[in-house]
Amino acid sequence: MYNLLEPRLQPVPLGDLRPTQMTVGLIEVERKRREWLDHAATDGPDFLGSHMIPVVLGPRQVPWLIDHHHLARALHDEGVAHVLVSVVARLDHLHKADFLTFMDNRNWLHPYDEKGQRRDVRELPRSIGRMADDPYRSLAGAVRRAGGYAKTEMPYAEFLWADFLRGKVAAKTVAGKFEKAVHKALAVAHGAEATHLPGYCGTF
């Protein structure tokens, strides 16, 4: 997905990170938060050290987060103040418009809202805590963990699955009966309509 250029070992304020996507799945965030709590008591510093967050330095050396948005949001919600980052590109010499164009063309931006609709890149949230909830992103994550499709290095693969499932599983089922939604989505994920999606595993 990206090439690591420079490990940066000093902590960076979590609040300084700019997201490169508009949404997360809050059920996924809660799962990440519980995972963090499970590790925090025994190996919290080591956990963060092994989960350095990849960023691109943009204009004014602002770090733009290009992966691990769910972990970052979970740490934010848990009140963690600093994280370790890995700088994968330095683009701080670019003007803002050129920077956003380059990031978009490099597929380092995902400016799609919680309905799966593309928005202007200038509408990206300015902080981790302002990313909106897309329940279908949570559904896509749960389906992958249940064996619905394979993990892939393709950027934003889970969002492609989320958009596919958006038209296959009713929103009220996702909101009110999540496990039932996962069961229904699993059947769809193994069907012929999903063959074009990254990580497709075939029929049962």
Side-chain angles (χ1 to χ4, degrees), residues 148-171:
Y149 60 97
K151 187 175 178 63
T152 173
E153 292 299 314
M154 181 176 180
Y156 307 110
E158 291 89 350
F159 282 102
L160 292 177
W161 279 95
D163 287 335
F164 172 72
L165 295 173
R166 204 181 305 278
K168 307 298 181 183
V169 183

Side-chain angles (χ1 to χ4, degrees), residues 4-15:
L4 183 64
L5 297 182
E6 176 192 345
R8 181 175 175 179
L9 300 181
Q10 66 264 36
V12 171
L14 186 58

Side-chain angles (χ1 to χ4, degrees), residues 11 15 23 49 57 61 64 74 81 83 100 116 119 121 126 131 136 155 164 168-170 174 182 188 194:
T23 67
L57 289 184
Q61 296 193 334
W64 288 69
V83 293
L100 291 174
R119 307 291 292 271
V121 295
R126 297 183 63 84
M131 289 186 292
Y136 284 92
F164 172 72
K168 307 298 181 183
V169 183
V174 178
V182 172
V188 173

Side-chain angles (χ1 to χ4, degrees), residues 18-176:
R18 287 286 300 269
T20 53
Q21 61 193 50
M22 292 185 161
T23 67
V24 287
L26 289 184
I27 293 176
E28 284 280 280
V29 169
E30 176 60 20
R31 186 182 66 84
K32 290 286 187 181
R33 191 184 70 84
R34 291 195 304 269
E35 181 181 281
W36 154 248
L37 289 174
D38 287 343
H39 289 280
T42 55
D43 59 354
D46 291 336
F47 178 83
L48 287 180
S50 63
H51 290 76
M52 287 194 297
I53 293 178
V55 301
V56 170
L57 289 184
R60 301 183 180 180
Q61 296 193 334
V62 172
W64 288 69
L65 174 67
I66 59 170
D67 202 358
H68 299 323
H69 284 77
H70 287 81
L71 174 61
R73 176 60 179 267
L75 295 174
H76 169 274
D77 291 352
E78 193 56 31
V80 174
H82 294 82
V83 293
L84 299 177
V85 302
S86 296
V87 178
V88 302
R90 290 183 172 274
L91 302 175
D92 48 319
H93 61 287
L94 296 177
H95 294 295
K96 182 68 172 293
D98 295 333
F99 169 75
L100 291 174
T101 297
F102 180 90
M103 292 283 284
D104 200 13
N105 289 335
R106 186 65 175 77
N107 205 21
W108 277 341
L109 297 181
H110 191 74
Y112 291 81
D113 63 21
E114 63 273 21
K115 296 180 181 179
Q117 300 298 312
R118 183 177 172 92
R119 307 291 292 271
D120 192 293
V121 295
R122 293 171 296 183
E123 297 180 56
L124 285 163
R126 297 183 63 84
S127 65
I128 297 297
R130 296 180 66 180
M131 289 186 292
D133 179 30
D134 180 357
Y136 284 92
R137 173 59 184 82
S138 292
L139 181 62
V143 168
R144 181 181 62 78
R145 289 191 302 278
Y149 60 97
K151 187 175 178 63
T152 173
E153 292 299 314
M154 181 176 180
Y156 307 110
E158 291 89 350
F159 282 102
L160 292 177
W161 279 95
D163 287 335
F164 172 72
L165 295 173
R166 204 181 305 278
K168 307 298 181 183
V169 183
K172 64 180 181 181
T173 304
V174 178

